Amino acid sequence: MTDHTYTKVKQYIERYHMIKAHDLVITGVSGGADSVCLLHLLWRMRRERGFRLLVVHVDHGVRAESGEDAAHVEALCRKLDVPFYLRKVDMNGYALRKGLSSEEAGRELRYQAFAEVLEAQKREHESCRIAVAHNSNDRAETMLFHLFRGSGIKGFSSIQPVREAVIRPILCLERTEIEQYLQKNRLSYCRDRTNEEDTYTRNRIRHHILSYAQKEICTGAVAHMGELAETLTETERYLAEQTRRVYEECVEEIRSRKAVAFCGRSGTEAADSSGNVRT
């Protein structure tokens, strides 16, 4: 399972051209199962693919045990000899000031932290990537959330493997595969008790809807939804490309017509100035 998972993620990275040689890859590691798995896989891959790996841990200042999470991630980074950067933020205060939900505030603050470290550590001529640990289950949960509130093709394609500089190398893995990988490699991780609560909509979908679908309707529900998301992603890209092409053709045709009309008017004006009668 360990080598199979490594190969699967490696092929997924290659399929979407996520990481190239000499890239700087900043990995967000909370200390949870997903991010620890991501870090370990990228750590194994870094020399083979020739990229530089850094870790950023964001302490949101909410949970009493957040200091323990940071210490756990720092110890793992020390063991793997990966540079570790800690950023402490006030998520609740930021959410209040900005009028955001705690989830939205946390997301904004994390990406701000990633961008700060990236800017400070980037070397000349170095392309940068931000690796985050969304998995197939996260993608399926997001698809359901978009379905319930209403969406189009782009929304149903859910979480994307690549979005600008952000990459999601383990989006191809289900949560069970991640847990098996951690067990096989004897990797410990932190547990966030808020993930077990039903406070957030995503948690309710995870605990009561998606889990039911997996157990009672189809054991491959998450995998099938991931396949659908991939298909919809390709469909949305194709439609966007065709729209762009047709738009450019229309613009070019309009420009050509305007140029012909302008040349026609210029010729008439030239004839008028020479004393000839306009027709």
Side-chain angles (χ1 to χ4, degrees):
M1 177 58 69
T2 296
D3 289 338
H4 170 74
T5 302
Y6 177 80
T7 301
K8 184 176 181 178
V9 172
K10 179 182 173 182
Q11 291 174 345
Y12 196 68
I13 288 173
E14 291 172 349
R15 175 182 177 184
Y16 288 100
H17 311 289
M18 293 185 185
I19 303 173
K20 303 188 299 295
H22 311 299
D23 279 351
L24 167 62
V25 180
I26 289 182
T27 307
V29 182
S30 66
D34 299 343
S35 62
V36 169
C37 177
L38 172 63
L39 170 59
H40 195 263
L41 287 165
L42 291 178
W43 172 76
R44 290 179 60 186
M45 205 176 298
R46 75 197 193 288
R47 289 180 179 172
E48 180 182 347
R49 298 191 68 85
F51 61 86
R52 193 160 64 99
L53 182 63
L54 307 179
V55 164
V56 175
H57 175 85
V58 180
D59 182 345
H60 296 89
V62 176
R63 297 163 51 239
E65 63 271 27
S66 61
E68 299 174 9
D69 295 350
H72 181 85
V73 176
E74 185 174 14
L76 177 59
C77 289
R78 192 181 304 115
K79 179 179 178 181
L80 299 177
D81 192 27
V82 175
F84 168 82
Y85 297 88
L86 172 64
R87 292 292 183 269
K88 295 184 177 182
V89 298
D90 177 14
M91 185 180 77
N92 287 340
Y94 184 86
L96 186 62
R97 291 193 303 274
K98 298 289 186 177
L100 302 172
S101 69
S102 56
E103 286 182 295
E104 292 171 326
R107 186 182 305 109
E108 285 193 8
L109 289 169
R110 285 193 296 276
Y111 282 105
Q112 287 176 18
F114 299 154
E116 288 172 5
V117 174
L118 186 151
E119 184 63 27
Q121 299 302 319
K122 179 182 178 183
R123 296 171 182 170
E124 190 175 4
H125 306 306
E126 199 171 43
S127 297
C128 301
R129 301 289 183 268
I130 299 171
V132 293
H134 293 109
N135 60 45
S136 290
N137 293 67
D138 296 323
R139 194 179 211 181
E141 292 159 11
T142 301
M143 286 181 72
L144 289 174
F145 179 73
H146 289 170
L147 174 65
F148 298 148
R149 73 174 186 177
S151 184
I153 292 178
K154 188 172 184 179
F156 289 143
S157 64
S158 189
I159 301 172
Q160 298 297 300
V162 179
R163 180 179 58 81
E164 298 176 347
V166 179
I167 61 174
R168 298 179 171 89
I170 63 170
L171 194 60
C172 59
L173 299 181
E174 293 186 36
R175 195 161 282 129
T176 53
E177 294 177 283
I178 290 170
E179 291 171 354
Q180 289 169 4
Y181 181 88
L182 295 173
Q183 184 177 7
K184 290 284 186 179
N185 287 278
R186 299 180 180 179
L187 294 166
S188 61
Y189 58 91
C190 306
R191 297 181 183 274
D192 184 350
R193 66 174 185 273
T194 61
N195 288 331
E196 307 303 320
E197 301 171 355
D198 282 346
T199 304
Y200 301 116
T201 302
R202 183 177 296 277
N203 286 4
R204 293 194 291 273
I205 292 174
R206 177 182 305 161
H207 299 154
H208 305 292
I209 300 175
L210 189 58
S211 61
Y212 181 87
Q214 284 274 93
K215 293 176 183 177
E216 304 296 336
I217 300 176
C218 177
T219 54
V222 169
H224 296 158
M225 293 176 73
E227 292 168 1
L228 175 60
E230 297 285 344
T231 300
L232 292 175
T233 295
E234 294 302 320
T235 301
E236 198 276 331
R237 286 177 180 168
Y238 173 79
L239 292 174
E241 175 60 25
Q242 292 303 305
T243 301
R244 182 196 62 78
R245 182 182 61 80
V246 172
Y247 172 80
E248 290 180 352
E249 289 176 356
C250 291
V251 170
E252 183 61 32
E253 183 177 348
I254 291 171
R255 285 175 178 167
S256 298
R257 288 179 178 178
K258 286 184 176 180
V260 170
F262 177 78
C263 290
R265 288 196 302 271
S266 299
T268 302
E269 290 169 0
D272 289 346
S273 65
S274 65
N276 296 328
V277 178
R278 294 181 60 181
T279 60

